Amino acid sequence: MKLKSIIVDDSSMQRMAVAKLVNNHPHLALVAEYSNAIEAKNGLKNHEIDLIFLDVEMPIISGFDLLEALENPPQVILITGKPDYALKAFDYDVTDYLHKPITLARFEASVKRAVAKYEQMNRVDEDEEHIFVKSNLKKRKVILNDIKWIEALGDYIKLVTDEANIVILSTMKSFEKQLPSEKFLRIHKSYIVNLEKIEKFNSKNVEVGGRQIPLSRNKKTELAEALANV
């Protein structure tokens, strides 16, 4: 994974120095360099960019002016020769702030922060727990966290999610073995619920997504203990 990056700086020497650092970093890909904010703003219309290395002190339009002009800016690492800009920098929700001259160690620390932020913002379903079920002769991937409850339907069971109801041929007992016990609990002979989806409960029912689901009398204590550990 590489963050698509641009450099915006009116100094050709500074652009060259930052470009060398970017090109030598395994998690960065240099897309373009710009010598002023106007060029950069136009360039951002043509490229999807993850990270801007942005000089603050540029003539006519400063780095801060550019940030104010962007509707949905990518991550920004500000570069400046004046330490007194640091507080103002974080008013713009920048990822980091580098003071000239830039050291390799400080540069790598900034990029590490940018990569972590990117991964947090772009976390994908593949990282989530899932199972595969067979429904209508096809295998379907089901994210466990999407399941609200499971309901018995004779020889079948129904998985209820926000997106769809998925009916599969299975017993409650065998399907229950596929589920993590810390997340799911069988609260009735005909119902298994996702503990994280429970909104409230009393001695007779559990409420999930506005639906009342029956609670067996002998499961109330177990449910209370399980919810305390969620």
Side-chain angles (χ1 to χ4, degrees), residues 4-15:
K4 296 185 287 293
S5 309
I6 62 171
I7 300 166
V8 187
D9 198 312
D10 62 310
S11 164
S12 59
M13 292 292 289
Q14 186 66 33
R15 286 199 309 275

Side-chain angles (χ1 to χ4, degrees), residues 2 14 51 54-55 63 74 99 102 111 122-123 143 185 201 205 225:
K2 291 191 174 189
Q14 186 66 33
L51 180 62
L54 179 60
D55 182 32
H99 187 250
I102 302 168
V111 173
N122 295 276
R123 193 161 288 145
I143 306 299
L185 180 67
F201 74 98
N205 298 294
E225 290 173 354

Side-chain angles (χ1 to χ4, degrees), residues 1-208:
M1 184 271 294
K2 291 191 174 189
L3 302 188
K4 296 185 287 293
S5 309
I6 62 171
I7 300 166
V8 187
D9 198 312
D10 62 310
S11 164
S12 59
M13 292 292 289
Q14 186 66 33
R15 286 199 309 275
M16 194 182 301
V18 176
K20 185 177 180 181
L21 290 167
V22 171
N23 287 325
N24 287 334
H25 198 285
H27 293 306
L28 299 177
L30 183 58
V31 174
E33 300 176 33
Y34 301 104
S35 61
N36 61 66
I38 296 171
E39 286 180 1
K41 189 178 179 185
N42 290 332
L44 284 165
K45 294 175 184 176
N46 302 318
H47 300 288
E48 280 191 20
I49 298 301
D50 303 310
L51 180 62
I52 304 176
F53 291 93
L54 179 60
D55 182 32
V56 174
E57 302 102 351
M58 292 186 291
I60 307 174
I61 301 176
S62 72
F64 290 128
D65 292 334
L66 175 61
L67 288 181
E68 288 181 4
L70 297 176
E71 286 185 17
N72 189 24
Q75 288 194 72
V76 174
I77 293 176
L78 281 179
I79 299 171
T80 179
K82 296 182 180 179
D84 51 342
Y85 280 133
L87 285 175
K88 186 178 180 182
F90 290 99
D91 288 339
Y92 290 84
D93 193 30
V94 302
T95 298
D96 208 354
Y97 174 95
L98 290 173
H99 187 250
K100 301 174 187 177
I102 302 168
T103 65
L104 177 59
R106 188 68 186 83
F107 178 84
E108 289 183 342
S110 286
V111 173
K112 186 177 181 180
R113 184 177 293 183
V115 169
K117 191 172 180 180
Y118 176 88
E119 288 176 343
Q120 185 179 13
M121 291 163 60
N122 295 276
R123 193 161 288 145
V124 292
D125 284 348
E126 281 74 8
D127 295 331
E128 298 188 75
E129 286 186 275
H130 61 272
I131 56 173
F132 285 95
V133 299
K134 197 170 185 179
S135 179
N136 294 329
L137 303 178
K138 294 179 181 177
K139 276 198 170 185
R140 293 183 58 168
K141 180 180 178 180
V142 179
I143 306 299
L144 292 181
N145 199 45
D146 289 347
I147 300 172
K148 295 196 287 188
W149 72 83
I150 298 107
E151 185 175 340
L153 296 172
D155 292 334
Y156 294 82
I157 61 170
K158 179 171 70 175
L159 312 186
V160 179
T161 74
D162 288 325
E163 300 297 321
N165 295 336
I166 304 166
V167 177
I168 63 174
L169 180 62
S170 175
T171 64
M172 291 287 275
K173 187 175 181 180
S174 65
F175 192 77
E176 188 178 4
K177 292 176 182 176
Q178 298 183 57
L179 302 171
S181 59
E182 70 276 9
K183 282 190 175 184
F184 291 87
L185 180 67
R186 190 169 184 177
I187 61 167
H188 184 275
K189 65 178 182 179
S190 299
Y191 291 93
I192 300 169
V193 295
N194 184 336
L195 295 167
E196 294 178 354
K197 304 290 185 182
I198 293 175
E199 292 153 4
K200 54 188 175 182
F201 74 98
N202 55 34
S203 59
K204 294 183 178 179
N205 298 294
V206 166
E207 187 171 314
V208 178

